[in-house]
PDB file of all heavy atoms in Angstrom:
ATOM      1  N   ALA A 400      95.169 -16.986 169.551  1.00 98.00           N
ATOM      2  CA  ALA A 400      94.213 -17.735 170.363  1.00 98.00           C
ATOM      3  C   ALA A 400      93.663 -18.888 169.540  1.00 98.00           C
ATOM      4  O   ALA A 400      93.259 -18.697 168.388  1.00 98.00           O
ATOM      5  CB  ALA A 400      93.084 -16.834 170.841  1.00 98.00           C
ATOM      6  N   VAL A 401      93.663 -20.064 170.134  1.00 97.00           N
ATOM      7  CA  VAL A 401      93.078 -21.249 169.523  1.00 97.00           C
ATOM      8  C   VAL A 401      91.915 -21.667 170.400  1.00 97.00           C
ATOM      9  O   VAL A 401      92.087 -21.934 171.596  1.00 97.00           O
ATOM     10  CB  VAL A 401      94.113 -22.396 169.411  1.00 97.00           C
ATOM     11  CG1 VAL A 401      93.475 -23.606 168.741  1.00 97.00           C
ATOM     12  CG2 VAL A 401      95.343 -21.928 168.644  1.00 97.00           C
ATOM     13  N   LEU A 402      90.711 -21.715 169.834  1.00 97.00           N
ATOM     14  CA  LEU A 402      89.503 -21.942 170.605  1.00 97.00           C
ATOM     15  C   LEU A 402      88.985 -23.356 170.404  1.00 97.00           C
ATOM     16  O   LEU A 402      88.916 -23.857 169.281  1.00 97.00           O
ATOM     17  CB  LEU A 402      88.428 -20.929 170.224  1.00 97.00           C
ATOM     18  CG  LEU A 402      88.837 -19.453 170.339  1.00 97.00           C
ATOM     19  CD1 LEU A 402      87.651 -18.561 170.014  1.00 97.00           C
ATOM     20  CD2 LEU A 402      89.386 -19.142 171.727  1.00 97.00           C
ATOM     21  N   ILE A 403      88.624 -23.984 171.531  1.00 96.00           N
ATOM     22  CA  ILE A 403      88.045 -25.321 171.524  1.00 96.00           C
ATOM     23  C   ILE A 403      86.720 -25.266 172.271  1.00 96.00           C
ATOM     24  O   ILE A 403      86.369 -24.263 172.887  1.00 96.00           O
ATOM     25  CB  ILE A 403      88.986 -26.348 172.193  1.00 96.00           C
ATOM     26  CG1 ILE A 403      89.240 -25.953 173.665  1.00 96.00           C
ATOM     27  CG2 ILE A 403      90.306 -26.451 171.446  1.00 96.00           C
ATOM     28  CD1 ILE A 403      90.040 -26.970 174.468  1.00 96.00           C
ATOM     29  N   GLN A 407      82.614 -21.071 172.018  1.00 96.00           N
ATOM     30  CA  GLN A 407      83.710 -20.311 171.424  1.00 96.00           C
ATOM     31  C   GLN A 407      83.298 -18.889 171.056  1.00 96.00           C
ATOM     32  O   GLN A 407      84.125 -17.966 171.111  1.00 96.00           O
ATOM     33  CB  GLN A 407      84.220 -21.023 170.168  1.00 96.00           C
ATOM     34  CG  GLN A 407      84.825 -22.382 170.420  1.00 96.00           C
ATOM     35  CD  GLN A 407      85.347 -23.032 169.160  1.00 96.00           C
ATOM     36  OE1 GLN A 407      85.626 -22.349 168.159  1.00 96.00           O
ATOM     37  NE2 GLN A 407      85.485 -24.348 169.166  1.00 96.00           N
ATOM     38  N   VAL A 423      92.884 -15.596 165.514  1.00 97.00           N
ATOM     39  CA  VAL A 423      91.986 -16.481 166.261  1.00 97.00           C
ATOM     40  C   VAL A 423      91.575 -17.629 165.354  1.00 97.00           C
ATOM     41  O   VAL A 423      91.102 -17.402 164.233  1.00 97.00           O
ATOM     42  CB  VAL A 423      90.736 -15.728 166.754  1.00 97.00           C
ATOM     43  CG1 VAL A 423      89.817 -16.680 167.518  1.00 97.00           C
ATOM     44  CG2 VAL A 423      91.127 -14.540 167.622  1.00 97.00           C
ATOM     45  N   VAL A 424      91.745 -18.846 165.838  1.00 97.00           N
ATOM     46  CA  VAL A 424      91.336 -20.032 165.086  1.00 97.00           C
ATOM     47  C   VAL A 424      90.435 -20.873 165.971  1.00 97.00           C
ATOM     48  O   VAL A 424      90.766 -21.144 167.133  1.00 97.00           O
ATOM     49  CB  VAL A 424      92.555 -20.872 164.650  1.00 97.00           C
ATOM     50  CG1 VAL A 424      92.096 -22.075 163.826  1.00 97.00           C
ATOM     51  CG2 VAL A 424      93.533 -20.029 163.855  1.00 97.00           C
ATOM     52  N   GLY A 425      89.289 -21.272 165.468  1.00 96.00           N
ATOM     53  CA  GLY A 425      88.375 -22.136 166.217  1.00 96.00           C
ATOM     54  C   GLY A 425      88.376 -23.545 165.668  1.00 96.00           C
ATOM     55  O   GLY A 425      88.455 -23.755 164.454  1.00 96.00           O
ATOM     56  N   ILE A 426      88.289 -24.520 166.567  1.00 95.00           N
ATOM     57  CA  ILE A 426      88.256 -25.930 166.189  1.00 95.00           C
ATOM     58  C   ILE A 426      86.901 -26.497 166.606  1.00 95.00           C
ATOM     59  O   ILE A 426      86.544 -26.425 167.788  1.00 95.00           O
ATOM     60  CB  ILE A 426      89.387 -26.722 166.862  1.00 95.00           C
ATOM     61  CG1 ILE A 426      90.738 -26.151 166.435  1.00 95.00           C
ATOM     62  CG2 ILE A 426      89.299 -28.206 166.524  1.00 95.00           C
ATOM     63  CD1 ILE A 426      91.909 -26.761 167.165  1.00 95.00           C
ATOM     64  N   PRO A 427      86.122 -27.049 165.690  1.00 91.00           N
ATOM     65  CA  PRO A 427      84.814 -27.597 166.060  1.00 91.00           C
ATOM     66  C   PRO A 427      84.955 -28.622 167.177  1.00 91.00           C
ATOM     67  O   PRO A 427      85.848 -29.475 167.136  1.00 91.00           O
ATOM     68  CB  PRO A 427      84.328 -28.253 164.758  1.00 91.00           C
ATOM     69  CG  PRO A 427      85.059 -27.524 163.678  1.00 91.00           C
ATOM     70  CD  PRO A 427      86.396 -27.190 164.251  1.00 91.00           C
TER      71      PRO A 427
END
Side-chain angles (χ1 to χ4, degrees):
V401 181
L402 305 183
I403 61 174
Q407 296 181 21
V423 180
V424 182
I426 300 173

